[in-house]
Amino acid sequence: MPVPMSPPLHPGTKQPADPEFLSALFPMSLIMQEMSPERWIEIPEPVREIYRLWRPTPMFRAVRLEKALGTPAHIYYKYEGVSPAGSHKPNTAVAQAFYNKEAGTKALTTETGAGQWGSALSMACKFFGLDLEVYMVRVSYDSKPYRRYIMESFGAQVYPSPSTNTEYGRGVLAADPHSNGSLGIAISEAVIAAASSGGAKKYSLGSVLGHVLMHQTVIGLEALEQMEMAGEYPDMVIGCTGGGSNFAGFCYPFLHQNLTKGHKTRIIAVEPAACPSLTKGRFAYDYGDTAAMAPIVKMFTLGHTFMPPGIHAGGLRYHGMAPSLSALVDGGYIEARAVMQRPTFAAALEFAASEGILPAPEAAHAVRAAIDEALLCKRDNVKKVIAFNLCGHGHFDMAAYDAYHTGKLQDYEYPAAAVNEAMTHLPQVDFA
Ligand SMILES: *Cc1c(COP(=O)(O)O)cnc(C)c1O
């Protein structure tokens, strides 16, 4: 890291969290990876053996899209939608299940929004013989059942959150029996379920944490070799950001080249205008969850009590952002921009019309930025090489496309008042 990292803090004492506190949630091997000073951590053979089901993932040059846009730019995309779950998420799900199995964990708990993370982790747990308890945001549990059926097919127990399993969930239900739930509430329930299990269960998170981002770097390491095969090197690399894992996985290996080999690749993070942590949030210590049970980390945040509007890229509705990515944006190593929903879906359809793949609504944010950059190249008549991460397909999110086609999808502006309110609830800590 070219910038210093601030340590995660214990949510109670607000002092640097010791490994003992974290070990109630994670196996020691993953805690050690979290802040490892090692440059390289080998991918274990049992993980590689499973990766071989879909890795290496293909990298395509979008020649037909370039022609359709009439741009001199060369556009490449790395396609993570070929994984069994249809996104990049199995890259870390498989690794986390492996390290937990190795440490003697019997069961994992986790949360899921629309079900992308839950379906990836349920497959990984099945492969390694671990039980899995998933807290699924209530509104998705009811309205998006197909990913729940996938999780159940792999043997996971799926509970709508808020649930009656935890005291916290029961409290939320007592206050509002018809609560829609939120990702923050579901994270709190999954954390509590693991922390109160007496060591039998550990917790697993699909984004944000350092070890998760590190597991995803297999994407960018492959992409570096694939660009070499293509005989080109990107002038810019682009990814969408929810918690930061697919973005970091694709872009950090290129950032490493910038820092060590003198490359000047622009690295661009794209987020929804309705949940703009990197472009409108504050770089400050905040809780990772709504119930203030999870570690406090320094990150770009909209406030842990902020409730993002119900945008269709559900995977991008987190109040915070990975601490390493936040520090790199703050340090000027990575650019960030926000895009509106409707132009994002328009870009997704433009991409599909040439390349035949309907992107996940999250991935469509990266497509929007890539097309915008390609159009700037056309205007200025310059040939640049643009590479982006197509982190998943949209086959389980077709209701979002229906909403776009039927004109029901709205553009949400930056919810300034709600964010300002949430900012008043940031924890007071003594660390800068
Ligand atoms: C979960 C998900 C995201 C958001 O998570 P990141 O950690 O920011 O990558 C983005 N795209 C897809 C397809 C997802 O499933």
Side-chain angles (χ1 to χ4, degrees):
M1 288 289 284
V3 285
M5 291 278 293
S6 307
L9 308 181
H10 187 288
T13 64
K14 301 195 174 75
Q15 294 300 312
D18 51 16
E20 209 142 317
F21 163 70
L22 295 172
S23 70
L25 300 180
F26 306 106
M28 200 48 79
S29 48
L30 292 178
I31 295 170
M32 299 322 280
Q33 285 179 12
E34 195 57 27
M35 289 244 172
S36 173
E38 300 296 325
R39 170 75 63 209
W40 298 103
I41 294 176
E42 196 67 23
I43 304 173
E45 182 49 34
V47 174
R48 287 172 187 251
E49 195 247 320
I50 293 173
Y51 278 180
R52 279 185 206 112
L53 292 173
W54 71 93
R55 304 214 71 86
T57 61
M59 187 147 193
F60 296 102
R61 182 166 158 208
V63 178
R64 287 172 47 83
L65 178 64
E66 291 166 14
K67 283 211 185 98
L69 296 171
T71 177
H74 288 186
I75 306 173
Y76 289 86
Y77 62 97
K78 179 77 167 153
Y79 186 38
E80 289 295 306
V82 297
S83 86
S87 75
H88 62 287
K89 292 214 167 70
N91 297 332
T92 185
V94 169
Q96 291 191 48
F98 166 80
Y99 287 110
N100 271 285
K101 182 71 182 183
E102 200 187 30
T105 306
K106 296 285 175 263
L108 290 178
T109 71
T110 198
E111 71 289 331
T112 197
Q116 287 155 327
W117 169 239
S119 48
L121 191 62
S122 61
M123 178 189 80
C125 284
K126 187 68 174 177
F127 287 164
F128 287 102
L130 293 169
D131 289 336
L132 176 63
E133 209 171 275
V134 183
Y135 291 85
M136 185 170 189
V137 177
R138 174 97 232 181
V139 60
S140 300
Y141 183 94
D142 292 333
S143 67
K144 297 186 177 168
Y146 291 103
R147 286 216 181 251
R148 168 155 63 87
Y149 303 155
I150 297 176
M151 293 184 259
E152 289 167 350
S153 300
F154 283 115
Q157 287 280 337
V158 187
Y159 301 104
S161 167
S163 78
T164 54
N165 288 13
T166 65
E167 201 176 309
Y168 178 68
R170 289 191 291 273
V172 175
L173 284 174
D176 177 9
H178 302 291
S179 169
N180 276 336
S182 73
L183 205 54
I185 293 171
I187 294 176
S188 301
E189 287 209 277
V191 165
I192 292 165
S196 62
S197 71
K201 301 174 194 170
K202 298 281 186 207
Y203 168 69
S204 172
L205 187 65
S207 186
V208 180
L209 298 175
H211 65 268
V212 179
L213 272 54
M214 194 267 289
H215 298 159
Q216 294 293 356
T217 55
V218 65
I219 304 172
L221 291 170
E222 285 177 5
L224 271 172
E225 293 196 24
Q226 289 166 318
M227 291 305 304
E228 202 176 316
M229 289 165 76
E232 299 209 87
Y233 194 85
D235 296 298
M236 57 193 108
V237 290
I238 300 171
C240 69
T241 49
S245 75
N246 90 82
F247 173 85
F250 180 62
C251 295
Y252 279 11
F254 289 96
L255 175 62
H256 179 225
Q257 299 292 306
N258 279 3
L259 295 172
T260 58
K261 304 268 167 63
H263 281 287
K264 298 233 160 24
T265 300
R266 284 172 60 203
I267 302 177
I268 305 170
V270 193
E271 62 184 9
C275 192
S277 26
L278 286 173
T279 51
K280 300 279 178 142
R282 192 182 300 167
F283 188 44
Y285 268 113
D286 195 11
Y287 296 101
D289 68 331
T290 305
M293 298 280 305
I296 303 174
V297 292
K298 190 163 184 201
M299 59 182 174
F300 275 100
T301 180
L302 298 167
H304 66 281
T305 56
F306 171 68
M307 277 279 187
I311 56 168
H312 278 282
L316 306 185
R317 290 181 69 217
Y318 181 61
H319 67 271
M321 191 54 68
S324 62
L325 172 51
S326 297
L328 289 163
V329 168
D330 186 62
Y333 294 89
I334 292 172
E335 304 168 35
R337 69 176 68 162
V339 294
M340 292 279 196
Q341 278 204 116
R342 275 143 50 88
T344 296
F345 275 84
L349 291 175
E350 207 170 353
F351 178 82
S354 295
E355 302 297 317
I357 299 169
L358 277 165
E362 293 86 356
H365 289 68
V367 177
R368 176 73 268 165
I371 290 180
D372 287 344
E373 290 297 331
L375 291 174
L376 287 177
C377 290
K378 178 181 181 177
R379 185 197 68 189
D380 301 338
N381 195 26
V382 288
K383 193 218 106 176
K384 289 200 176 137
V385 177
I386 302 167
F388 72 92
N389 194 30
L390 191 68
C391 53
H393 64 64
H395 297 177
F396 293 97
D397 296 293
M398 295 317 296
Y401 280 91
D402 179 55
Y404 180 72
H405 296 318
T406 53
K408 291 189 201 109
L409 198 109
Q410 313 160 28
D411 276 335
Y412 290 104
E413 286 291 342
Y414 162 57
V419 171
N420 286 340
E421 203 283 325
M423 284 301 169
T424 65
H425 303 291
L426 293 189
Q428 298 295 318
V429 301
D430 294 335
F431 288 78

mmCIF file of all heavy atoms in Angstrom, residues 148-163:
data_model
loop_
_atom_site.group_PDB
_atom_site.id
_atom_site.type_symbol
_atom_site.label_atom_id
_atom_site.label_comp_id
_atom_site.label_asym_id
_atom_site.label_seq_id
_atom_site.Cartn_x
_atom_site.Cartn_y
_atom_site.Cartn_z
ATOM 1 N N ARG A 148 -32.931 -17.883 -3.747
ATOM 2 C CA ARG A 148 -33.169 -18.661 -2.538
ATOM 3 C C ARG A 148 -33.286 -20.148 -2.891
ATOM 4 O O ARG A 148 -32.741 -21.003 -2.186
ATOM 5 C CB ARG A 148 -34.446 -18.173 -1.838
ATOM 6 C CG ARG A 148 -34.922 -19.115 -0.730
ATOM 7 C CD ARG A 148 -35.744 -18.390 0.298
ATOM 8 N NE ARG A 148 -36.984 -17.821 -0.232
ATOM 9 C CZ ARG A 148 -38.143 -18.493 -0.310
ATOM 10 N NH1 ARG A 148 -38.206 -19.762 0.074
ATOM 11 N NH2 ARG A 148 -39.220 -17.896 -0.784
ATOM 12 N N TYR A 149 -33.944 -20.457 -3.996
ATOM 13 C CA TYR A 149 -34.065 -21.866 -4.392
ATOM 14 C C TYR A 149 -32.685 -22.451 -4.706
ATOM 15 O O TYR A 149 -32.433 -23.630 -4.457
ATOM 16 C CB TYR A 149 -34.977 -22.024 -5.612
ATOM 17 C CG TYR A 149 -36.384 -21.474 -5.437
ATOM 18 C CD1 TYR A 149 -37.128 -21.070 -6.537
ATOM 19 C CD2 TYR A 149 -36.950 -21.346 -4.164
ATOM 20 C CE1 TYR A 149 -38.407 -20.555 -6.387
ATOM 21 C CE2 TYR A 149 -38.227 -20.827 -4.009
ATOM 22 C CZ TYR A 149 -38.947 -20.422 -5.117
ATOM 23 O OH TYR A 149 -40.193 -19.899 -4.979
ATOM 24 N N ILE A 150 -31.790 -21.632 -5.266
ATOM 25 C CA ILE A 150 -30.422 -22.112 -5.523
ATOM 26 C C ILE A 150 -29.748 -22.436 -4.195
ATOM 27 O O ILE A 150 -29.171 -23.516 -4.019
ATOM 28 C CB ILE A 150 -29.588 -21.060 -6.284
ATOM 29 C CG1 ILE A 150 -30.186 -20.774 -7.665
ATOM 30 C CG2 ILE A 150 -28.136 -21.531 -6.417
ATOM 31 C CD1 ILE A 150 -29.466 -19.671 -8.430
ATOM 32 N N MET A 151 -29.833 -21.493 -3.244
ATOM 33 C CA MET A 151 -29.187 -21.710 -1.933
ATOM 34 C C MET A 151 -29.729 -22.970 -1.285
ATOM 35 O O MET A 151 -28.974 -23.792 -0.761
ATOM 36 C CB MET A 151 -29.432 -20.496 -1.022
ATOM 37 C CG MET A 151 -28.743 -19.236 -1.497
ATOM 38 S SD MET A 151 -28.975 -17.872 -0.342
ATOM 39 C CE MET A 151 -30.268 -16.940 -1.142
ATOM 40 N N GLU A 152 -31.046 -23.157 -1.329
ATOM 41 C CA GLU A 152 -31.657 -24.338 -0.711
ATOM 42 C C GLU A 152 -31.266 -25.605 -1.455
ATOM 43 O O GLU A 152 -31.101 -26.665 -0.845
ATOM 44 C CB GLU A 152 -33.178 -24.143 -0.639
ATOM 45 C CG GLU A 152 -33.545 -23.086 0.416
ATOM 46 C CD GLU A 152 -34.989 -22.590 0.359
ATOM 47 O OE1 GLU A 152 -35.707 -22.913 -0.614
ATOM 48 O OE2 GLU A 152 -35.374 -21.858 1.289
ATOM 49 N N SER A 153 -31.070 -25.499 -2.765
ATOM 50 C CA SER A 153 -30.634 -26.672 -3.528
ATOM 51 C C SER A 153 -29.251 -27.133 -3.093
ATOM 52 O O SER A 153 -28.935 -28.321 -3.165
ATOM 53 C CB SER A 153 -30.613 -26.361 -5.031
ATOM 54 O OG SER A 153 -31.896 -25.993 -5.474
ATOM 55 N N PHE A 154 -28.415 -26.178 -2.631
ATOM 56 C CA PHE A 154 -27.088 -26.539 -2.129
ATOM 57 C C PHE A 154 -27.119 -26.820 -0.626
ATOM 58 O O PHE A 154 -26.071 -26.947 0.010
ATOM 59 C CB PHE A 154 -26.071 -25.428 -2.437
ATOM 60 C CG PHE A 154 -25.608 -25.409 -3.876
ATOM 61 C CD1 PHE A 154 -25.905 -24.341 -4.708
ATOM 62 C CD2 PHE A 154 -24.860 -26.461 -4.400
ATOM 63 C CE1 PHE A 154 -25.479 -24.312 -6.029
ATOM 64 C CE2 PHE A 154 -24.432 -26.447 -5.717
ATOM 65 C CZ PHE A 154 -24.742 -25.379 -6.535
ATOM 66 N N GLY A 155 -28.323 -26.885 -0.052
ATOM 67 C CA GLY A 155 -28.450 -27.319 1.335
ATOM 68 C C GLY A 155 -28.378 -26.217 2.382
ATOM 69 O O GLY A 155 -28.281 -26.514 3.576
ATOM 70 N N ALA A 156 -28.415 -24.943 1.976
ATOM 71 C CA ALA A 156 -28.339 -23.857 2.967
ATOM 72 C C ALA A 156 -29.694 -23.647 3.647
ATOM 73 O O ALA A 156 -30.745 -23.928 3.068
ATOM 74 C CB ALA A 156 -27.907 -22.562 2.275
ATOM 75 N N GLN A 157 -29.647 -23.175 4.914
ATOM 76 C CA GLN A 157 -30.842 -22.738 5.635
ATOM 77 C C GLN A 157 -30.994 -21.241 5.381
ATOM 78 O O GLN A 157 -30.094 -20.480 5.733
ATOM 79 C CB GLN A 157 -30.644 -22.924 7.146
ATOM 80 C CG GLN A 157 -30.684 -24.355 7.613
ATOM 81 C CD GLN A 157 -32.117 -24.850 7.733
ATOM 82 O OE1 GLN A 157 -33.032 -24.046 7.889
ATOM 83 N NE2 GLN A 157 -32.301 -26.148 7.631
ATOM 84 N N VAL A 158 -32.094 -20.823 4.792
ATOM 85 C CA VAL A 158 -32.270 -19.403 4.468
ATOM 86 C C VAL A 158 -33.391 -18.818 5.330
ATOM 87 O O VAL A 158 -34.499 -19.357 5.345
ATOM 88 C CB VAL A 158 -32.614 -19.215 2.971
ATOM 89 C CG1 VAL A 158 -32.624 -17.734 2.613
ATOM 90 C CG2 VAL A 158 -31.613 -19.970 2.093
ATOM 91 N N TYR A 159 -33.062 -17.761 6.088
ATOM 92 C CA TYR A 159 -34.052 -17.100 6.933
ATOM 93 C C TYR A 159 -34.294 -15.684 6.423
ATOM 94 O O TYR A 159 -33.334 -14.972 6.101
ATOM 95 C CB TYR A 159 -33.542 -17.000 8.378
ATOM 96 C CG TYR A 159 -33.227 -18.332 8.999
ATOM 97 C CD1 TYR A 159 -31.897 -18.752 9.139
ATOM 98 C CD2 TYR A 159 -34.243 -19.173 9.451
ATOM 99 C CE1 TYR A 159 -31.597 -19.973 9.709
ATOM 100 C CE2 TYR A 159 -33.947 -20.400 10.025
ATOM 101 C CZ TYR A 159 -32.631 -20.799 10.152
ATOM 102 O OH TYR A 159 -32.332 -22.010 10.701
ATOM 103 N N PRO A 160 -35.562 -15.248 6.379
ATOM 104 C CA PRO A 160 -35.799 -13.838 6.043
ATOM 105 C C PRO A 160 -35.343 -12.974 7.211
ATOM 106 O O PRO A 160 -35.604 -13.307 8.372
ATOM 107 C CB PRO A 160 -37.314 -13.752 5.850
ATOM 108 C CG PRO A 160 -37.881 -14.895 6.630
ATOM 109 C CD PRO A 160 -36.822 -15.966 6.670
ATOM 110 N N SER A 161 -34.627 -11.869 6.896
ATOM 111 C CA SER A 161 -34.133 -10.974 7.946
ATOM 112 C C SER A 161 -34.854 -9.635 7.862
ATOM 113 O O SER A 161 -34.957 -9.084 6.761
ATOM 114 C CB SER A 161 -32.629 -10.772 7.783
ATOM 115 O OG SER A 161 -32.174 -9.698 8.576
ATOM 116 N N PRO A 162 -35.363 -9.071 8.966
ATOM 117 C CA PRO A 162 -35.200 -9.491 10.359
ATOM 118 C C PRO A 162 -35.885 -10.828 10.655
ATOM 119 O O PRO A 162 -36.992 -11.062 10.185
ATOM 120 C CB PRO A 162 -35.833 -8.348 11.161
ATOM 121 C CG PRO A 162 -36.742 -7.643 10.199
ATOM 122 C CD PRO A 162 -36.120 -7.805 8.860
ATOM 123 N N SER A 163 -35.195 -11.657 11.450
ATOM 124 C CA SER A 163 -35.708 -12.986 11.778
ATOM 125 C C SER A 163 -35.991 -13.077 13.271
ATOM 126 O O SER A 163 -35.655 -12.170 14.039
ATOM 127 C CB SER A 163 -34.662 -14.040 11.408
ATOM 128 O OG SER A 163 -33.640 -14.067 12.395
#
